[in-house]
């Protein structure tokens, strides 16, 4: 880079004999943002308290009738009525069920589902049939003098009963197929209780499908929960194995960094090659099986993902993905082979730094604990907010002259009001789940606030972890005599400085990132809504926006990370730190693009190896392919549930350990860039980097050797 280009990105750091690492005499930064952050947290607690006072998570577990009462809930009038019955399930075919998660038909709690065909008209001709029919009418209905049209108008009873079976505590028609034809009982039609009119069974099927659309996810969730209850201890064992394996890698990197890097590369190659061979063997084995040539597109989405493993196309896709990964790895190694030695030296230096700050290896547990608190608070608040809706009742009247139609009413006091006198035929009926209070009007705002604060707090916790590690490792680098010139507890000292002086700066950086992430969430929501619109122009613009904000988020994360390092070292505010870090990196753009990124790639290979090793072992165990322990494998609905849990958990654990290395490398990288600008290797201005790093970078101290 020429001198003019360097001037464009600011003046290089000048030698300062008083500078000896992270500055201790510093003041509070970004105070306004700190106060805003505190106010936002207080508001978040208020939103949580309000949500907890209005929400009822039982709505997630128990079905509710049209009066908002729970079915089967102990201590309620429906205690002995655990099943929900729909008066007219065909109305569930309405799009409203997908918008409001509620079928627009009367629903009551019953002891058991009907087991026979019957219409209300026919039931009235037999006393026994009428007694049986009454258990599916509204509680308290006993007016046998009412005409059939009046009963249907007031929705006292359903027009018909069909044989049904309980499914997730709800009555669904007992449909069956015979030679590809949908039937109920032995017929394809049924009496709908609408005079002499008969209807096709497909009408019932459509209503059941729409009603089941909301419930299908819950069924899958229950099966997944069951799998966790029988496999949780094996999952914990696998995650402990991932933790031990990650720790072993970290310790070995401390002493055998060069060898371990090449071992990691070779083992990653071995895992990928084995994956390709295994996919090919499965692909070839399915050649003779009938139905294995069905495409994934034709099969569609299946809740039992094991079905896809019986398709040749699935294994072919896996094999192609692994081949692409191995080709990318080969190309990266070919073009950056000369830079690997420099990256290995940087990892060795990071290993020494971590060796002097061993507490940094367990510090990610503190960050993980805080993140778990944020996630738990967000999830609990979200559940309470989503279950805050109450049963809303409206006045329904046949008279067009009634001015009270659609007015909100209370069914318990409705008969004592003047409405019944002015509109004799008016009824106070259940309308929908929602609410018309100020709380319900601003419910969407509370939900948005919950999501936004979750992103802000999560990013703040991550930022706190980064600035703490950066301060500790910077203390190591700028110590002339290591570890004599280092603080006694560098990690705790750095954490104290971050919380005491730089809460505002961390909140500022995390706020910017949270805003971008929320915008990305909104774009994903709009994309989901516009898919049905078939508007090519709108979809194209939306995809462009999604791509731009994805790039923006990646850039902000990169800039924030380096800004936090500057905050930890110099104690400047966020904007100044971000500017100085960006200028420093731009003055050394070639080193940034090659050396730092190659090091990140090598650490990524370490994470990939840990995840791959534990993931492959979990796959063979939970799929019952290890004969020695085959009898101990738990019986599962979906064996991919514990496997995916182990893979995700292993990645998080490996990421926690290797993120310490990544932060250490990034901190040392910025420090030695400043070291190169501040010092020249003379006796008055000696380099503070290690001798090995000086050798790799072709630098040396002329008169006085570097102490280690």
């Amino acid at each position: 880079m020429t001198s003019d280009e360097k001037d464009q990105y600011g003046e290089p750091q000048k030698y300062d004999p008083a500078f000896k690492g992270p500055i201790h005499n510093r003041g509070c930064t970004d105070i306004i943002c700190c106060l805003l952050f505190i106010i936002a947290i207080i508001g978040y607690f208020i939103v949580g308290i309000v949500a907890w006072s209005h929400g009822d998570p039982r709505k997630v577990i128990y079905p509710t009738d049209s009066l908002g009462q729970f079915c089967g809930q102990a201590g309620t009038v429906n205690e002995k009525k655990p099943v929900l019955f729909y008066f007219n399930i065909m109305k569930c075919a309405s799009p409203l069920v997908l918008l409001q998660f509620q079928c627009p038909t009367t629903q009551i709690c019953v002891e058991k589902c009907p087991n026979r065909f019957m219409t209300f008209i026919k039931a009235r001709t037999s006393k026994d049939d009428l007694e049986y029919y009454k258990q599916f009418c509204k509680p308290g209905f006993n007016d046998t003098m009412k005409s059939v049209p009046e009963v249907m108008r007031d929705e006292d009873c359903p027009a018909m009963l069909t044989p049904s079976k309980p499914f997730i505590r709800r009555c669904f028609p007992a449909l069956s197929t015979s030679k590809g034809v949908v039937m109920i009982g032995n017929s394809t039609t049924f009496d709908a209780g609408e005079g002499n009119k008969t209807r096709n069974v497909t009408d019932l099927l459509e209503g059941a499908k729409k009603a089941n659309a909301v419930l299908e996810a819950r069924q899958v969730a229950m099966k997944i929960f069951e799998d966790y209850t029988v496999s949780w201890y094996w999952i914990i064992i696998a995650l402990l194995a991932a933790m031990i394996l990650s720790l072993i890698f970290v310790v070995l990197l401390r002493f055998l960094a060069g060898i371990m890097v090449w071992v990691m590369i070779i083992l990653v190659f071995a895992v990928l090659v084995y994956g390709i061979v295994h996919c090919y063997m499965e692909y070839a084995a399915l050649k003779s099986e009938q139905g294995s040539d069905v495409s994934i597109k034709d099969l569609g989405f299946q809740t039992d993902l094991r079905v896809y493993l019986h398709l040749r196309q699935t294994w072919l896709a896996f094999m192609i993905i692994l081949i692409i990964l191995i080709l990318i790895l080969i190309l990266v190694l070919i073009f950056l082979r000369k830079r690997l030695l420099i990256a290995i030296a940087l990892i060795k230096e990071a290993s020494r730094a971590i060796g002097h700050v061993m507490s940094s290896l367990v510090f990610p547990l503190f960050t993980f604990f805080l993140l778990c608190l944020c996630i738990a608070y967000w999830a609990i608040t979200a559940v309470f907010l989503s279950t805050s809706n109450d049963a809303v009742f409206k006045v329904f009247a046949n008279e067009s002259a009634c001015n009270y139609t659609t007015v909100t009413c209370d069914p318990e006091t409705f008969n004592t009001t003047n409405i019944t006198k002015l509109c004799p035929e008016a009824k106070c009926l259940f309308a929908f789940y929602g609410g018309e209070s100020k709380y319900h009007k601003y419910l969407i705002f509370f939900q948005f606030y919950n999501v936004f604060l979750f992103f802000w707090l999560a990013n703040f916790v991550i930022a706190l972890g980064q600035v703490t590690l950066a301060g500790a490792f910077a203390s190591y680098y700028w110590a002339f005599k290591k570890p004599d010139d280092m603080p006694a507890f560098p990690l705790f000292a750095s954490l104290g400085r971050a919380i005491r002086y730089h809460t505002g700066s961390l909140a500022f950086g995390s706020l910017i990132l949270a805003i971008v992430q929320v915008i990305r969430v909104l774009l994903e929501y709009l994309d989901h809504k516009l898919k049905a619109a078939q508007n090519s122009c709108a979809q194209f613009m939306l995809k462009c926006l999604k791509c731009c904000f994805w790039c923006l988020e990646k850039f902000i994360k990169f800039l924030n990370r380096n800004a936090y390092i500057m905050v930890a070292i110099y104690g400047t505010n966020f904007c100044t730190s971000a500017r100085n870090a960006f200028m420093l990196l731009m003055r050394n753009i070639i080193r940034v693009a090659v050396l730092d990124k190659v090091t990140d790639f090598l650490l990524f290979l370490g994470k990939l190896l840990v995840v791959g090793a534990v993931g492959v072992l979990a796959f063979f165990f939970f799929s019952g392919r290890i004969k020695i322990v085959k009898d101990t494998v738990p019986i599962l609905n979906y064996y991919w549930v514990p496997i995916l849990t182990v893979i995700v958990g292993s990645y998080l654990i490996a990421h926690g350990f290797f993120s310490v290395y990544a932060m250490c490398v990034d901190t040392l990288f910025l420090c030695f860039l400043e070291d190169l600008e501040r010092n020249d290797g003379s006796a008055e201005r000696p380099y503070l980097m290690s001798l090995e790093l000086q050798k790799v970078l072709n630098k040396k101290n002329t008169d006085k050797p570097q102490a280690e």
Side-chain angles (χ1 to χ4, degrees):
M1 184 176 286
T2 64
S3 58
D4 292 337
E5 290 175 325
K6 286 193 174 183
D7 291 340
Q8 181 182 353
Y9 297 110
E11 290 291 332
Q13 293 287 346
K14 296 181 179 180
Y15 174 69
D16 182 5
F19 179 75
K20 298 185 181 297
I23 296 173
H24 296 281
N25 296 325
R26 57 180 73 195
C28 296
T29 56
D30 297 302
I31 298 175
I32 295 177
C33 198
C34 178
L35 295 175
L36 181 64
F37 183 60
I38 293 173
I39 294 172
I41 292 177
I42 295 173
Y44 198 20
F45 280 115
I46 293 174
V47 169
I49 293 171
V50 173
W52 297 341
S53 63
H54 287 79
D56 192 345
R58 291 180 301 173
K59 293 179 182 178
V60 180
I61 304 172
Y62 298 98
T64 55
D65 61 14
S66 295
L67 298 177
Q69 299 170 329
F70 297 107
C71 297
Q73 175 67 29
T76 65
V77 294
N78 293 323
E79 182 176 359
K80 296 182 180 180
K81 298 178 180 180
V83 188
L84 186 69
F85 173 73
Y86 298 94
F87 269 30
N88 187 359
I89 198 170
M90 289 178 288
K91 288 187 178 180
C92 294
S94 167
L96 289 175
V97 70
L98 300 178
L99 296 175
Q100 301 179 358
F101 293 93
Q102 181 74 10
C103 285
T105 185
T106 303
Q107 304 163 39
I108 62 171
C109 300
V110 296
E111 293 184 15
K112 56 184 179 181
C113 297
N115 57 10
R116 67 189 76 170
F117 276 113
M118 191 177 296
T119 64
F120 183 71
I121 296 174
K122 292 181 179 180
R124 286 170 65 95
T125 62
S126 170
K127 185 177 180 181
D128 293 337
D129 288 345
L130 186 59
E131 286 299 319
Y132 175 81
Y133 207 96
K134 282 182 181 179
Q135 63 181 314
F136 302 103
C137 296
K138 286 183 178 179
F141 172 75
N142 200 28
D143 190 355
T144 57
M145 301 303 294
K146 262 189 176 183
S147 65
V148 174
E150 288 176 330
V151 173
M152 297 298 105
R153 182 199 63 192
D154 298 338
E155 295 188 0
D156 291 325
C157 295
M160 64 169 182
L161 300 179
T162 58
S164 304
K165 292 182 180 179
F167 176 69
I168 319 182
R169 300 191 180 194
R170 290 160 173 84
C171 293
F172 286 98
L175 302 175
S176 61
T177 56
S178 177
K179 296 181 181 181
V181 179
V182 180
M183 306 180 71
I184 183 165
N186 296 318
S187 177
T188 59
T189 61
F190 62 95
D191 187 349
E194 302 170 354
N196 296 323
K197 184 179 179 181
T198 60
R199 300 187 68 167
N200 197 288
V201 174
T202 54
D203 294 335
L204 278 177
L205 178 62
E206 186 64 24
K209 279 183 177 179
K210 287 293 179 71
N212 193 38
V214 180
L215 308 173
E216 212 170 58
R218 186 179 295 178
Q219 180 196 20
V220 175
M222 291 302 294
K223 288 185 177 181
I224 291 175
F225 179 76
E226 291 175 3
D227 288 342
Y228 279 128
T229 59
V230 297
S231 62
W232 63 270
Y233 46 91
W234 291 109
I235 294 175
I236 291 177
I237 292 173
L239 295 180
L240 287 175
M243 185 180 296
I244 294 171
L245 188 59
S246 300
L247 186 59
I248 290 173
F249 266 91
V250 169
V251 173
L252 290 177
L253 280 173
R254 171 72 175 87
F255 303 101
L256 304 169
I259 297 174
M260 287 303 301
V261 167
W262 290 111
V263 168
M264 281 192 293
I265 295 173
I266 293 171
L267 288 179
V268 168
F269 265 110
V271 170
L272 292 175
V273 170
Y274 172 78
I276 294 171
V277 173
H278 179 76
C279 290
Y280 177 77
M281 292 174 64
E282 293 286 350
Y283 177 79
L286 290 172
K287 185 176 182 180
S288 58
E289 287 194 17
Q290 186 177 3
S292 61
D293 291 329
V294 177
S295 67
I296 297 176
K297 183 178 180 180
D298 293 336
L299 182 63
F301 176 73
Q302 301 292 326
T303 55
D304 187 357
L305 298 184
R306 289 175 294 185
V307 175
Y308 297 105
L309 298 180
H310 296 282
L311 302 180
R312 298 185 74 201
Q313 194 179 79
T314 301
W315 294 104
L316 179 63
F318 287 159
M319 186 167 60
I320 292 173
I321 292 171
L322 292 176
I323 290 173
I324 293 173
L325 288 176
I326 204 168
L327 289 176
I328 293 173
L329 183 59
I330 291 172
L331 291 175
V332 169
L333 292 177
I334 289 175
F335 288 103
L336 298 179
R337 63 188 184 278
K338 292 183 180 180
R339 299 292 178 178
L340 285 176
L341 297 177
I342 302 176
I344 289 171
L346 201 56
I347 290 178
K348 286 182 178 179
E349 186 67 13
S351 299
R352 295 190 186 95
I354 293 174
H356 291 296
V357 193
M358 288 299 292
S359 56
S360 62
L361 290 177
V362 297
F363 184 76
L365 296 177
F366 173 72
T367 304
F368 180 72
F369 173 73
L370 293 180
L371 281 176
C372 286
L373 289 180
C374 294
I375 294 172
Y377 187 86
W378 164 78
I380 294 172
T381 304
V383 169
F384 275 88
L385 284 173
S386 62
T387 57
S388 295
N389 291 326
D390 300 323
V392 176
F393 297 85
K394 298 283 188 179
V395 175
F396 292 89
N398 291 332
E399 304 106 329
S400 59
C402 183
N403 296 325
Y404 294 96
T405 303
T406 70
V407 172
T408 304
C409 59
D410 185 351
E412 296 182 359
T413 61
F414 180 72
N415 292 329
T416 62
T417 62
N418 291 330
I419 299 177
T420 55
K421 297 178 181 178
L422 299 174
C423 304
E425 295 187 7
K427 299 290 182 182
C428 183
L429 301 176
F430 169 77
F432 56 87
Y433 281 101
E436 297 181 347
S437 65
K438 288 186 177 180
Y439 168 76
H440 291 96
K441 289 180 180 178
Y442 292 102
L443 187 58
I444 186 66
F445 169 77
F446 293 148
Q447 291 170 336
F448 176 82
Y449 191 78
N450 183 38
V451 173
F452 179 74
L453 261 292
F454 165 71
F455 280 118
W456 195 358
L457 286 174
N459 289 323
F460 177 84
V461 169
I462 294 172
L464 180 62
Q466 290 176 344
V467 78
T468 300
L469 291 173
F473 295 133
S475 299
Y476 162 83
Y477 185 91
W478 295 109
F480 187 75
K481 293 183 179 180
K482 304 174 178 62
D484 296 339
D485 293 343
M486 292 176 59
F489 302 101
L491 192 69
F492 292 105
S494 179
L495 178 61
R497 289 195 300 268
I499 296 175
R500 181 178 178 182
Y501 297 110
H502 306 303
T503 298
S505 297
L506 302 182
F508 193 4
S510 55
L511 173 63
I512 297 172
L513 186 57
I515 292 173
V516 175
Q517 289 172 335
V518 169
I519 292 174
R520 288 194 63 202
V521 170
L522 293 176
L523 290 175
E524 290 291 343
Y525 175 77
L526 290 175
D527 187 30
H528 177 73
K529 289 295 183 182
L530 290 175
K531 280 183 179 178
Q534 301 296 327
N535 190 325
S536 301
C537 181
Q539 290 181 357
F540 173 76
M541 293 297 294
L542 201 57
K543 290 186 184 299
C544 291
L545 286 173
K546 287 168 63 177
C547 179
C548 291
F549 276 95
W550 180 83
C551 295
L552 181 60
E553 181 183 358
K554 294 298 179 184
F555 174 74
I556 290 176
K557 283 183 176 180
F558 173 77
L559 187 61
N560 281 8
R561 187 182 181 90
N562 290 283
Y564 296 146
I565 295 174
M566 289 299 194
V567 169
I569 297 174
Y570 296 105
T572 51
N573 61 48
F574 176 80
C575 292
T576 302
S577 299
R579 179 183 179 278
N580 292 340
F582 181 75
M583 294 300 182
L584 178 62
L585 294 173
M586 291 302 297
R587 291 195 297 268
N588 300 271
I589 188 62
I590 296 177
R591 288 194 178 103
V592 174
V594 179
L595 181 60
D596 192 40
K597 295 302 119 183
V598 169
T599 308
D600 290 343
F601 175 72
L602 293 177
L603 294 177
F604 171 74
L605 290 183
K607 289 188 281 187
L608 191 64
L609 181 58
V610 172
V611 174
V614 178
V616 169
L617 184 63
F619 172 76
F620 279 102
F621 175 78
F622 287 110
S623 61
R625 303 192 182 192
I626 303 177
K627 295 182 179 180
I628 301 176
V629 294
K630 190 174 182 180
D631 295 335
T632 62
V633 178
I635 300 174
L636 302 167
N637 295 302
Y638 311 115
Y639 72 83
W640 52 265
V641 169
I643 294 174
L644 286 181
T645 304
V646 168
I647 290 175
V648 173
S650 299
Y651 178 80
L652 292 176
I653 291 171
H655 178 73
F657 281 97
F658 283 94
S659 65
V660 175
Y661 257 93
M663 197 66 205
C664 184
V665 168
D666 289 345
T667 303
L668 297 182
F669 184 65
L670 279 186
C671 287
F672 93 75
L673 289 181
E674 289 227 350
D675 194 6
L676 292 174
E677 291 186 351
R678 287 178 176 274
N679 305 311
D680 57 8
S682 62
E684 296 78 16
R685 297 165 58 186
Y687 293 119
L688 295 179
M689 66 186 75
S690 66
L691 290 174
E692 186 172 353
L693 199 55
Q694 290 179 31
K695 183 178 179 181
V696 171
L697 298 171
N698 295 322
K699 303 291 182 180
K700 64 178 181 178
N701 289 327
T702 54
D703 297 330
K704 190 179 294 183
Q706 167 68 32
E708 293 205 52

